[in-house]
Amino acid sequence: MHIDIFTLFPAMFPGYLNESILKRAQEMGKLSVAVHNIRDYAQGKHRVTDEPPFGGGGGMVLKPEPIFAAVESLLINHQSDKYEDLRLMIKSPLILMSPQGRPFTQAIAQELAQQERLALLCGRYEGVDERVRQHLVTDEISIGDYVLTGGELAAMVVVDAVARLLPGALGAEGAADCDSHATGLLEGPHYTKPAVFREWAVPDVLRSGHAANIARWRREQALRRTWQRRPDLLLTAVLTETDKAYLAVLAEEEAGVLVEKGEDKS
Ligand code: ADE
Protein backbone atom coordinates (compact mmCIF):
# COMPACT_ATOMS: atom_id res chain seq x y z
CA MET A 1 0.00 0.00 0.00
CA HIS A 2 1.15 3.53 -0.73
CA ILE A 3 0.09 6.44 1.49
CA ASP A 4 0.51 10.12 0.58
CA ILE A 5 0.33 12.59 3.45
CA PHE A 6 -0.23 16.31 2.84
CA THR A 7 0.86 18.52 5.72
CA LEU A 8 2.42 21.85 6.65
CA PHE A 9 4.71 20.04 9.11
CA PRO A 10 6.40 17.12 7.35
CA ALA A 11 9.14 16.94 10.00
CA MET A 12 6.59 15.55 12.46
CA PHE A 13 6.41 12.21 10.65
CA PRO A 14 9.80 10.50 10.22
CA GLY A 15 10.31 9.64 13.91
CA TYR A 16 7.13 7.65 14.14
CA LEU A 17 7.25 6.15 10.67
CA ASN A 18 10.81 4.92 11.00
CA GLU A 19 10.45 2.75 14.08
CA SER A 20 9.09 -0.68 14.92
CA ILE A 21 6.36 -2.27 12.82
CA LEU A 22 5.88 0.67 10.46
CA LYS A 23 9.59 0.67 9.72
CA ARG A 24 9.55 -3.08 9.10
CA ALA A 25 6.45 -2.89 6.88
CA GLN A 26 8.26 -0.34 4.71
CA GLU A 27 11.46 -2.40 4.63
CA MET A 28 9.43 -5.45 3.57
CA GLY A 29 7.88 -3.43 0.74
CA LYS A 30 4.36 -3.76 2.15
CA LEU A 31 4.02 -0.05 2.85
CA SER A 32 5.43 3.14 1.37
CA VAL A 33 4.67 6.58 2.75
CA ALA A 34 5.37 9.91 1.03
CA VAL A 35 5.02 13.06 3.11
CA HIS A 36 4.37 16.20 1.03
CA ASN A 37 4.79 19.74 2.29
CA ILE A 38 1.75 21.81 1.29
CA ARG A 39 3.93 24.93 1.49
CA ASP A 40 5.95 23.71 -1.50
CA TYR A 41 2.82 24.23 -3.61
CA ALA A 42 2.05 27.76 -2.37
CA GLN A 43 2.66 30.71 -4.70
CA GLY A 44 4.54 33.98 -4.19
CA LYS A 45 7.66 35.01 -2.41
CA HIS A 46 6.24 34.21 1.00
CA ARG A 47 4.46 30.99 0.02
CA VAL A 48 1.46 31.91 2.17
CA THR A 49 -0.64 28.87 3.15
CA ASP A 50 -3.16 30.41 5.53
CA GLU A 51 -5.20 33.59 5.88
CA PRO A 52 -7.74 34.99 8.38
CA PRO A 53 -11.34 33.86 7.81
CA PHE A 54 -13.72 35.93 5.69
CA GLY A 55 -16.33 37.50 7.94
CA GLY A 56 -13.90 37.89 10.82
CA GLY A 57 -13.40 35.73 13.87
CA GLY A 58 -10.23 34.35 15.34
CA GLY A 59 -7.67 31.97 13.95
CA MET A 60 -6.38 31.23 10.49
CA VAL A 61 -7.79 29.10 7.71
CA LEU A 62 -5.76 26.99 5.28
CA LYS A 63 -6.02 28.44 1.78
CA PRO A 64 -7.43 26.25 -0.97
CA GLU A 65 -4.88 26.95 -3.74
CA PRO A 66 -1.79 25.17 -2.33
CA ILE A 67 -3.87 22.18 -1.24
CA PHE A 68 -5.53 21.82 -4.66
CA ALA A 69 -2.15 22.33 -6.37
CA ALA A 70 -0.46 19.65 -4.25
CA VAL A 71 -3.21 17.11 -4.80
CA GLU A 72 -3.55 17.94 -8.51
CA SER A 73 0.13 17.52 -9.17
CA LEU A 74 0.42 14.21 -7.31
CA LEU A 75 -2.90 12.43 -7.45
CA ILE A 76 -4.58 13.49 -10.68
CA ASN A 77 -3.30 12.42 -14.09
CA HIS A 78 -5.50 14.45 -16.29
CA GLN A 79 -5.10 18.24 -16.38
CA SER A 80 -7.93 20.46 -17.53
CA ASP A 81 -8.93 24.12 -17.42
CA LYS A 82 -12.48 23.26 -16.51
CA TYR A 83 -13.50 22.96 -12.90
CA GLU A 84 -14.41 19.33 -13.17
CA ASP A 85 -15.23 17.10 -10.25
CA LEU A 86 -11.70 16.25 -9.18
CA ARG A 87 -12.97 13.61 -6.83
CA LEU A 88 -13.90 11.47 -9.82
CA MET A 89 -10.36 11.69 -11.20
CA ILE A 90 -8.37 11.18 -8.05
CA LYS A 91 -6.11 8.11 -7.89
CA SER A 92 -6.97 7.19 -4.30
CA PRO A 93 -9.34 8.10 -1.50
CA LEU A 94 -8.31 11.51 -0.13
CA ILE A 95 -9.18 11.77 3.54
CA LEU A 96 -9.27 15.04 5.45
CA MET A 97 -8.27 14.56 9.09
CA SER A 98 -10.70 16.70 11.05
CA PRO A 99 -12.67 16.61 14.31
CA GLN A 100 -15.83 16.87 12.15
CA GLY A 101 -15.14 13.59 10.32
CA ARG A 102 -16.72 10.20 10.77
CA PRO A 103 -15.37 8.57 13.95
CA PHE A 104 -12.41 6.30 13.20
CA THR A 105 -12.97 2.65 14.12
CA GLN A 106 -11.30 -0.70 13.55
CA ALA A 107 -13.90 -1.39 10.84
CA ILE A 108 -12.79 1.76 8.97
CA ALA A 109 -9.13 0.73 9.38
CA GLN A 110 -10.02 -2.63 7.83
CA GLU A 111 -11.89 -0.92 5.00
CA LEU A 112 -8.90 1.36 4.28
CA ALA A 113 -6.41 -1.52 4.46
CA GLN A 114 -8.07 -2.96 1.32
CA GLN A 115 -6.97 0.04 -0.76
CA GLU A 116 -3.80 0.06 -2.84
CA ARG A 117 -3.35 3.78 -2.24
CA LEU A 118 -4.54 6.28 0.33
CA ALA A 119 -4.00 10.00 0.79
CA LEU A 120 -4.37 11.87 4.08
CA LEU A 121 -4.72 15.64 4.31
CA CYS A 122 -3.83 17.21 7.64
CA GLY A 123 -5.82 20.28 8.63
CA ARG A 124 -4.34 22.98 10.90
CA TYR A 125 -5.41 26.14 12.72
CA GLU A 126 -9.14 26.88 12.53
CA GLY A 127 -9.51 24.44 9.66
CA VAL A 128 -9.39 24.33 5.88
CA ASP A 129 -11.25 26.42 3.36
CA GLU A 130 -14.64 24.78 2.85
CA ARG A 131 -14.03 24.39 -0.91
CA VAL A 132 -11.42 21.73 -0.10
CA ARG A 133 -14.19 19.79 1.65
CA GLN A 134 -16.72 20.40 -1.08
CA HIS A 135 -14.63 19.79 -4.19
CA LEU A 136 -11.51 17.82 -3.31
CA VAL A 137 -11.59 15.39 -0.41
CA THR A 138 -13.50 12.14 -0.70
CA ASP A 139 -13.81 11.38 3.00
CA GLU A 140 -13.31 12.99 6.40
CA ILE A 141 -12.17 11.14 9.52
CA SER A 142 -11.95 12.13 13.19
CA ILE A 143 -9.93 10.11 15.71
CA GLY A 144 -12.07 11.24 18.64
CA ASP A 145 -14.23 13.93 20.14
CA TYR A 146 -11.45 16.31 21.07
CA VAL A 147 -9.62 18.98 19.10
CA LEU A 148 -5.92 18.61 18.28
CA THR A 149 -3.73 21.44 17.03
CA GLY A 150 -3.70 19.74 13.63
CA GLY A 151 -4.41 16.54 11.74
CA GLU A 152 -0.83 15.19 11.85
CA LEU A 153 -1.23 12.98 14.93
CA ALA A 154 -4.58 11.79 13.57
CA ALA A 155 -2.94 10.89 10.24
CA MET A 156 -0.28 8.91 12.10
CA VAL A 157 -3.00 7.09 14.01
CA VAL A 158 -4.68 6.11 10.74
CA VAL A 159 -1.39 5.05 9.11
CA ASP A 160 -0.52 2.93 12.15
CA ALA A 161 -3.92 1.25 12.48
CA VAL A 162 -4.07 0.51 8.74
CA ALA A 163 -0.44 -0.59 8.27
CA ARG A 164 -0.59 -3.26 10.95
CA LEU A 165 -3.52 -4.85 9.10
CA LEU A 166 -1.56 -5.25 5.86
CA PRO A 167 -0.95 -8.96 5.27
CA GLY A 168 2.37 -10.00 6.85
CA ALA A 169 3.01 -6.64 8.54
CA LEU A 170 2.71 -8.10 12.04
CA GLY A 171 4.81 -11.15 11.32
CA ALA A 172 2.55 -14.06 12.27
CA GLU A 173 -0.31 -14.23 9.78
CA GLY A 174 -3.59 -13.48 11.55
CA ALA A 175 -1.95 -11.76 14.53
CA ALA A 176 -4.45 -8.91 14.16
CA ASP A 177 -7.48 -11.20 14.01
CA CYS A 178 -8.03 -11.37 17.79
CA ASP A 179 -7.23 -7.72 18.50
CA SER A 180 -9.55 -5.77 20.72
CA HIS A 181 -12.33 -4.50 18.40
CA ALA A 182 -11.38 -6.82 15.50
CA THR A 183 -13.87 -9.40 16.76
CA GLY A 184 -16.33 -6.80 18.03
CA LEU A 185 -15.15 -7.54 21.60
CA LEU A 186 -12.31 -6.30 23.78
CA GLU A 187 -9.48 -8.79 24.20
CA GLY A 188 -9.06 -10.62 27.49
CA PRO A 189 -5.89 -10.47 29.62
CA HIS A 190 -2.46 -11.62 28.40
CA TYR A 191 0.34 -13.07 30.51
CA THR A 192 3.97 -13.91 29.83
CA LYS A 193 6.94 -15.26 31.82
CA PRO A 194 7.52 -15.53 34.73
CA ALA A 195 4.68 -17.90 35.67
CA VAL A 196 4.73 -16.45 39.19
CA PHE A 197 5.67 -12.83 39.80
CA ARG A 198 5.61 -11.50 43.38
CA GLU A 199 3.31 -14.37 44.33
CA TRP A 200 0.87 -13.48 41.54
CA ALA A 201 0.47 -16.57 39.42
CA VAL A 202 -0.63 -16.87 35.80
CA PRO A 203 -4.02 -18.65 35.57
CA ASP A 204 -3.46 -22.44 35.49
CA VAL A 205 -5.48 -22.95 32.34
CA LEU A 206 -2.99 -20.94 30.25
CA ARG A 207 -0.20 -23.30 31.33
CA SER A 208 -2.27 -26.46 30.90
CA GLY A 209 -1.41 -26.96 27.23
CA HIS A 210 -5.09 -27.84 26.60
CA ALA A 211 -5.88 -25.83 23.45
CA ALA A 212 -9.68 -26.08 23.63
CA ASN A 213 -9.81 -25.06 27.29
CA ILE A 214 -7.46 -22.15 26.59
CA ALA A 215 -9.62 -20.98 23.67
CA ARG A 216 -12.78 -21.18 25.81
CA TRP A 217 -11.13 -19.30 28.69
CA ARG A 218 -9.94 -16.56 26.32
CA ARG A 219 -13.38 -16.16 24.80
CA GLU A 220 -14.98 -15.95 28.24
CA GLN A 221 -12.41 -13.40 29.41
CA ALA A 222 -13.05 -11.30 26.29
CA LEU A 223 -16.79 -11.43 26.99
CA ARG A 224 -16.25 -10.58 30.66
CA ARG A 225 -13.98 -7.62 29.90
CA THR A 226 -16.35 -6.28 27.25
CA TRP A 227 -19.30 -6.69 29.62
CA GLN A 228 -17.45 -4.78 32.33
CA ARG A 229 -15.88 -2.01 30.26
CA ARG A 230 -17.74 -1.60 26.98
CA PRO A 231 -21.18 -3.23 27.26
CA ASP A 232 -22.28 -1.13 24.25
CA LEU A 233 -20.09 -3.35 22.03
CA LEU A 234 -22.14 -6.42 22.96
CA LEU A 235 -25.11 -5.00 21.07
CA THR A 236 -23.31 -5.39 17.73
CA ALA A 237 -20.80 -8.21 18.40
CA VAL A 238 -21.43 -11.57 16.72
CA LEU A 239 -22.28 -13.91 19.61
CA THR A 240 -22.78 -17.68 19.70
CA GLU A 241 -25.34 -19.39 21.92
CA THR A 242 -22.46 -20.37 24.24
CA ASP A 243 -21.41 -16.70 24.44
CA LYS A 244 -24.95 -15.68 25.33
CA ALA A 245 -25.15 -18.35 28.03
CA TYR A 246 -21.89 -17.03 29.51
CA LEU A 247 -23.20 -13.45 29.44
CA ALA A 248 -26.28 -14.66 31.30
CA VAL A 249 -23.94 -16.06 33.98
CA LEU A 250 -22.20 -12.67 34.18
CA ALA A 251 -25.56 -10.93 34.52
CA GLU A 252 -26.53 -13.28 37.35
CA GLU A 253 -23.15 -12.73 39.02
CA GLU A 254 -23.64 -8.98 38.84
CA ALA A 255 -27.20 -9.17 40.16
CA GLY A 256 -25.89 -11.30 43.08
CA VAL A 257 -23.22 -8.70 43.89
CA LEU A 258 -25.75 -5.87 43.77
CA VAL A 259 -28.13 -7.70 46.12
CA GLU A 260 -25.22 -8.36 48.51
CA LYS A 261 -24.31 -4.68 48.45
CA GLY A 262 -27.94 -3.69 48.89
CA GLU A 263 -27.84 -1.73 45.61
CA ASP A 264 -30.52 -3.75 43.80
CA LYS A 265 -33.15 -1.15 42.83
CA SER A 266 -35.53 -3.57 41.06
N1 ADE B 1 -7.63 17.54 13.74
C1 ADE B 1 -7.88 18.19 14.90
N2 ADE B 1 -8.56 17.41 15.75
C2 ADE B 1 -8.75 16.22 15.12
C3 ADE B 1 -9.40 15.00 15.47
N3 ADE B 1 -10.00 14.84 16.64
N4 ADE B 1 -9.40 14.00 14.57
C4 ADE B 1 -8.81 14.16 13.38
N5 ADE B 1 -8.19 15.28 12.98
C5 ADE B 1 -8.16 16.30 13.85
Side-chain angles (χ1 to χ4, degrees), residues 97-99 141-151 154:
M97 306 315 304
S98 127
I141 285 179
S142 162
I143 61 159
D145 289 342
Y146 40 81
V147 181
L148 302 166
T149 54

mmCIF file with all atom_site columns, all heavy atoms in Angstrom, residues 97-99 141-151 154, ligand 1:
data_model
loop_
_atom_site.group_PDB
_atom_site.id
_atom_site.type_symbol
_atom_site.label_atom_id
_atom_site.label_alt_id
_atom_site.label_comp_id
_atom_site.label_asym_id
_atom_site.label_entity_id
_atom_site.label_seq_id
_atom_site.pdbx_PDB_ins_code
_atom_site.Cartn_x
_atom_site.Cartn_y
_atom_site.Cartn_z
_atom_site.occupancy
_atom_site.B_iso_or_equiv
_atom_site.pdbx_formal_charge
_atom_site.auth_seq_id
_atom_site.auth_comp_id
_atom_site.auth_asym_id
_atom_site.auth_atom_id
_atom_site.pdbx_PDB_model_num
ATOM   1   N N   . MET A 1 97  ? -8.248  14.840 7.660  1.00 0.00 ? 97  MET A N   1
ATOM   2   C CA  . MET A 1 97  ? -8.271  14.560 9.089  1.00 0.00 ? 97  MET A CA  1
ATOM   3   C C   . MET A 1 97  ? -8.891  15.776 9.772  1.00 0.00 ? 97  MET A C   1
ATOM   4   O O   . MET A 1 97  ? -8.359  16.893 9.650  1.00 0.00 ? 97  MET A O   1
ATOM   5   C CB  . MET A 1 97  ? -6.845  14.344 9.621  1.00 0.00 ? 97  MET A CB  1
ATOM   6   C CG  . MET A 1 97  ? -6.025  13.284 8.892  1.00 0.00 ? 97  MET A CG  1
ATOM   7   S SD  . MET A 1 97  ? -6.867  11.745 8.540  1.00 0.00 ? 97  MET A SD  1
ATOM   8   C CE  . MET A 1 97  ? -7.400  11.266 10.143 1.00 0.00 ? 97  MET A CE  1
ATOM   9   N N   . SER A 1 98  ? -9.996  15.560 10.460 1.00 0.00 ? 98  SER A N   1
ATOM   10  C CA  . SER A 1 98  ? -10.700 16.696 11.046 1.00 0.00 ? 98  SER A CA  1
ATOM   11  C C   . SER A 1 98  ? -11.613 16.217 12.169 1.00 0.00 ? 98  SER A C   1
ATOM   12  O O   . SER A 1 98  ? -12.146 15.104 12.107 1.00 0.00 ? 98  SER A O   1
ATOM   13  C CB  . SER A 1 98  ? -11.532 17.382 9.946  1.00 0.00 ? 98  SER A CB  1
ATOM   14  O OG  . SER A 1 98  ? -12.868 17.517 10.316 1.00 0.00 ? 98  SER A OG  1
ATOM   15  N N   . PRO A 1 99  ? -11.790 17.042 13.222 1.00 0.00 ? 99  PRO A N   1
ATOM   16  C CA  . PRO A 1 99  ? -12.670 16.610 14.309 1.00 0.00 ? 99  PRO A CA  1
ATOM   17  C C   . PRO A 1 99  ? -14.134 16.499 13.871 1.00 0.00 ? 99  PRO A C   1
ATOM   18  O O   . PRO A 1 99  ? -14.966 15.988 14.611 1.00 0.00 ? 99  PRO A O   1
ATOM   19  C CB  . PRO A 1 99  ? -12.481 17.689 15.379 1.00 0.00 ? 99  PRO A CB  1
ATOM   20  C CG  . PRO A 1 99  ? -11.821 18.834 14.707 1.00 0.00 ? 99  PRO A CG  1
ATOM   21  C CD  . PRO A 1 99  ? -11.146 18.332 13.486 1.00 0.00 ? 99  PRO A CD  1
ATOM   22  N N   . ILE A 1 141 ? -12.233 12.044 8.360  1.00 0.00 ? 141 ILE A N   1
ATOM   23  C CA  . ILE A 1 141 ? -12.167 11.143 9.518  1.00 0.00 ? 141 ILE A CA  1
ATOM   24  C C   . ILE A 1 141 ? -11.697 11.909 10.747 1.00 0.00 ? 141 ILE A C   1
ATOM   25  O O   . ILE A 1 141 ? -10.775 12.727 10.688 1.00 0.00 ? 141 ILE A O   1
ATOM   26  C CB  . ILE A 1 141 ? -11.220 9.950  9.220  1.00 0.00 ? 141 ILE A CB  1
ATOM   27  C CG1 . ILE A 1 141 ? -11.918 8.961  8.278  1.00 0.00 ? 141 ILE A CG1 1
ATOM   28  C CG2 . ILE A 1 141 ? -10.788 9.238  10.501 1.00 0.00 ? 141 ILE A CG2 1
ATOM   29  C CD1 . ILE A 1 141 ? -11.086 7.757  7.893  1.00 0.00 ? 141 ILE A CD1 1
ATOM   30  N N   . SER A 1 142 ? -12.347 11.587 11.895 1.00 0.00 ? 142 SER A N   1
ATOM   31  C CA  . SER A 1 142 ? -11.946 12.127 13.194 1.00 0.00 ? 142 SER A CA  1
ATOM   32  C C   . SER A 1 142 ? -11.430 10.971 14.034 1.00 0.00 ? 142 SER A C   1
ATOM   33  O O   . SER A 1 142 ? -11.990 9.870  13.977 1.00 0.00 ? 142 SER A O   1
ATOM   34  C CB  . SER A 1 142 ? -13.155 12.757 13.878 1.00 0.00 ? 142 SER A CB  1
ATOM   35  O OG  . SER A 1 142 ? -12.901 12.908 15.260 1.00 0.00 ? 142 SER A OG  1
ATOM   36  N N   . ILE A 1 143 ? -10.380 11.200 14.833 1.00 0.00 ? 143 ILE A N   1
ATOM   37  C CA  . ILE A 1 143 ? -9.929  10.110 15.710 1.00 0.00 ? 143 ILE A CA  1
ATOM   38  C C   . ILE A 1 143 ? -10.527 10.228 17.106 1.00 0.00 ? 143 ILE A C   1
ATOM   39  O O   . ILE A 1 143 ? -10.186 9.454  17.983 1.00 0.00 ? 143 ILE A O   1
ATOM   40  C CB  . ILE A 1 143 ? -8.393  10.008 15.781 1.00 0.00 ? 143 ILE A CB  1
ATOM   41  C CG1 . ILE A 1 143 ? -7.770  11.292 16.344 1.00 0.00 ? 143 ILE A CG1 1
ATOM   42  C CG2 . ILE A 1 143 ? -7.806  9.671  14.424 1.00 0.00 ? 143 ILE A CG2 1
ATOM   43  C CD1 . ILE A 1 143 ? -6.367  11.064 16.887 1.00 0.00 ? 143 ILE A CD1 1
ATOM   44  N N   . GLY A 1 144 ? -11.424 11.163 17.324 1.00 0.00 ? 144 GLY A N   1
ATOM   45  C CA  . GLY A 1 144 ? -12.071 11.238 18.638 1.00 0.00 ? 144 GLY A CA  1
ATOM   46  C C   . GLY A 1 144 ? -12.679 12.601 18.864 1.00 0.00 ? 144 GLY A C   1
ATOM   47  O O   . GLY A 1 144 ? -12.365 13.556 18.162 1.00 0.00 ? 144 GLY A O   1
ATOM   48  N N   . ASP A 1 145 ? -13.527 12.681 19.858 1.00 0.00 ? 145 ASP A N   1
ATOM   49  C CA  . ASP A 1 145 ? -14.235 13.930 20.140 1.00 0.00 ? 145 ASP A CA  1
ATOM   50  C C   . ASP A 1 145 ? -13.401 14.865 21.001 1.00 0.00 ? 145 ASP A C   1
ATOM   51  O O   . ASP A 1 145 ? -13.720 15.116 22.177 1.00 0.00 ? 145 ASP A O   1
ATOM   52  C CB  . ASP A 1 145 ? -15.584 13.638 20.806 1.00 0.00 ? 145 ASP A CB  1
ATOM   53  C CG  . ASP A 1 145 ? -16.561 13.034 19.820 1.00 0.00 ? 145 ASP A CG  1
ATOM   54  O OD1 . ASP A 1 145 ? -16.324 13.164 18.598 1.00 0.00 ? 145 ASP A OD1 1
ATOM   55  O OD2 . ASP A 1 145 ? -17.546 12.414 20.260 1.00 0.00 ? 145 ASP A OD2 1
ATOM   56  N N   . TYR A 1 146 ? -12.310 15.314 20.440 1.00 0.00 ? 146 TYR A N   1
ATOM   57  C CA  . TYR A 1 146 ? -11.452 16.312 21.068 1.00 0.00 ? 146 TYR A CA  1
ATOM   58  C C   . TYR A 1 146 ? -10.740 17.013 19.927 1.00 0.00 ? 146 TYR A C   1
ATOM   59  O O   . TYR A 1 146 ? -10.689 16.490 18.816 1.00 0.00 ? 146 TYR A O   1
ATOM   60  C CB  . TYR A 1 146 ? -10.437 15.673 22.028 1.00 0.00 ? 146 TYR A CB  1
ATOM   61  C CG  . TYR A 1 146 ? -9.858  14.393 21.499 1.00 0.00 ? 146 TYR A CG  1
ATOM   62  C CD1 . TYR A 1 146 ? -8.816  14.416 20.571 1.00 0.00 ? 146 TYR A CD1 1
ATOM   63  C CD2 . TYR A 1 146 ? -10.373 13.156 21.879 1.00 0.00 ? 146 TYR A CD2 1
ATOM   64  C CE1 . TYR A 1 146 ? -8.307  13.245 20.059 1.00 0.00 ? 146 TYR A CE1 1
ATOM   65  C CE2 . TYR A 1 146 ? -9.862  11.981 21.361 1.00 0.00 ? 146 TYR A CE2 1
ATOM   66  C CZ  . TYR A 1 146 ? -8.828  12.025 20.449 1.00 0.00 ? 146 TYR A CZ  1
ATOM   67  O OH  . TYR A 1 146 ? -8.336  10.864 19.926 1.00 0.00 ? 146 TYR A OH  1
ATOM   68  N N   . VAL A 1 147 ? -10.216 18.218 20.191 1.00 0.00 ? 147 VAL A N   1
ATOM   69  C CA  . VAL A 1 147 ? -9.616  18.979 19.103 1.00 0.00 ? 147 VAL A CA  1
ATOM   70  C C   . VAL A 1 147 ? -8.100  19.045 19.287 1.00 0.00 ? 147 VAL A C   1
ATOM   71  O O   . VAL A 1 147 ? -7.607  19.497 20.315 1.00 0.00 ? 147 VAL A O   1
ATOM   72  C CB  . VAL A 1 147 ? -10.212 20.401 19.030 1.00 0.00 ? 147 VAL A CB  1
ATOM   73  C CG1 . VAL A 1 147 ? -9.594  21.167 17.875 1.00 0.00 ? 147 VAL A CG1 1
ATOM   74  C CG2 . VAL A 1 147 ? -11.728 20.316 18.854 1.00 0.00 ? 147 VAL A CG2 1
ATOM   75  N N   . LEU A 1 148 ? -7.391  18.554 18.282 1.00 0.00 ? 148 LEU A N   1
ATOM   76  C CA  . LEU A 1 148 ? -5.925  18.607 18.276 1.00 0.00 ? 148 LEU A CA  1
ATOM   77  C C   . LEU A 1 148 ? -5.489  19.892 17.581 1.00 0.00 ? 148 LEU A C   1
ATOM   78  O O   . LEU A 1 148 ? -6.299  20.550 16.921 1.00 0.00 ? 148 LEU A O   1
ATOM   79  C CB  . LEU A 1 148 ? -5.374  17.402 17.507 1.00 0.00 ? 148 LEU A CB  1
ATOM   80  C CG  . LEU A 1 148 ? -5.808  16.033 18.047 1.00 0.00 ? 148 LEU A CG  1
ATOM   81  C CD1 . LEU A 1 148 ? -5.514  14.938 17.034 1.00 0.00 ? 148 LEU A CD1 1
ATOM   82  C CD2 . LEU A 1 148 ? -5.110  15.752 19.361 1.00 0.00 ? 148 LEU A CD2 1
ATOM   83  N N   . THR A 1 149 ? -4.200  20.214 17.690 1.00 0.00 ? 149 THR A N   1
ATOM   84  C CA  . THR A 1 149 ? -3.732  21.435 17.027 1.00 0.00 ? 149 THR A CA  1
ATOM   85  C C   . THR A 1 149 ? -3.654  21.234 15.511 1.00 0.00 ? 149 THR A C   1
ATOM   86  O O   . THR A 1 149 ? -3.522  22.196 14.765 1.00 0.00 ? 149 THR A O   1
ATOM   87  C CB  . THR A 1 149 ? -2.358  21.874 17.556 1.00 0.00 ? 149 THR A CB  1
ATOM   88  O OG1 . THR A 1 149 ? -1.461  20.774 17.426 1.00 0.00 ? 149 THR A OG1 1
ATOM   89  C CG2 . THR A 1 149 ? -2.433  22.283 19.006 1.00 0.00 ? 149 THR A CG2 1
ATOM   90  N N   . GLY A 1 150 ? -3.719  20.000 15.069 1.00 0.00 ? 150 GLY A N   1
ATOM   91  C CA  . GLY A 1 150 ? -3.704  19.739 13.633 1.00 0.00 ? 150 GLY A CA  1
ATOM   92  C C   . GLY A 1 150 ? -3.964  18.272 13.368 1.00 0.00 ? 150 GLY A C   1
ATOM   93  O O   . GLY A 1 150 ? -4.056  17.471 14.308 1.00 0.00 ? 150 GLY A O   1
ATOM   94  N N   . GLY A 1 151 ? -4.050  17.918 12.092 1.00 0.00 ? 151 GLY A N   1
ATOM   95  C CA  . GLY A 1 151 ? -4.406  16.541 11.736 1.00 0.00 ? 151 GLY A CA  1
ATOM   96  C C   . GLY A 1 151 ? -3.228  15.571 11.700 1.00 0.00 ? 151 GLY A C   1
ATOM   97  O O   . GLY A 1 151 ? -3.419  14.394 11.387 1.00 0.00 ? 151 GLY A O   1
ATOM   98  N N   . ALA A 1 154 ? -3.454  12.615 14.037 1.00 0.00 ? 154 ALA A N   1
ATOM   99  C CA  . ALA A 1 154 ? -4.576  11.794 13.571 1.00 0.00 ? 154 ALA A CA  1
ATOM   100 C C   . ALA A 1 154 ? -4.158  10.981 12.341 1.00 0.00 ? 154 ALA A C   1
ATOM   101 O O   . ALA A 1 154 ? -4.493  9.802  12.219 1.00 0.00 ? 154 ALA A O   1
ATOM   102 C CB  . ALA A 1 154 ? -5.776  12.686 13.253 1.00 0.00 ? 154 ALA A CB  1
HETATM 103 N N1  . ADE B 2 .   ? -7.631  17.541 13.743 1.00 0.00 ? 1   ADE B N1  1
HETATM 104 C C1  . ADE B 2 .   ? -7.878  18.191 14.904 1.00 0.00 ? 1   ADE B C1  1
HETATM 105 N N2  . ADE B 2 .   ? -8.558  17.405 15.751 1.00 0.00 ? 1   ADE B N2  1
HETATM 106 C C2  . ADE B 2 .   ? -8.747  16.215 15.115 1.00 0.00 ? 1   ADE B C2  1
HETATM 107 C C3  . ADE B 2 .   ? -9.395  15.000 15.475 1.00 0.00 ? 1   ADE B C3  1
HETATM 108 N N3  . ADE B 2 .   ? -10.002 14.845 16.644 1.00 0.00 ? 1   ADE B N3  1
HETATM 109 N N4  . ADE B 2 .   ? -9.398  14.002 14.573 1.00 0.00 ? 1   ADE B N4  1
HETATM 110 C C4  . ADE B 2 .   ? -8.814  14.158 13.378 1.00 0.00 ? 1   ADE B C4  1
HETATM 111 N N5  . ADE B 2 .   ? -8.193  15.278 12.980 1.00 0.00 ? 1   ADE B N5  1
HETATM 112 C C5  . ADE B 2 .   ? -8.155  16.303 13.846 1.00 0.00 ? 1   ADE B C5  1
#
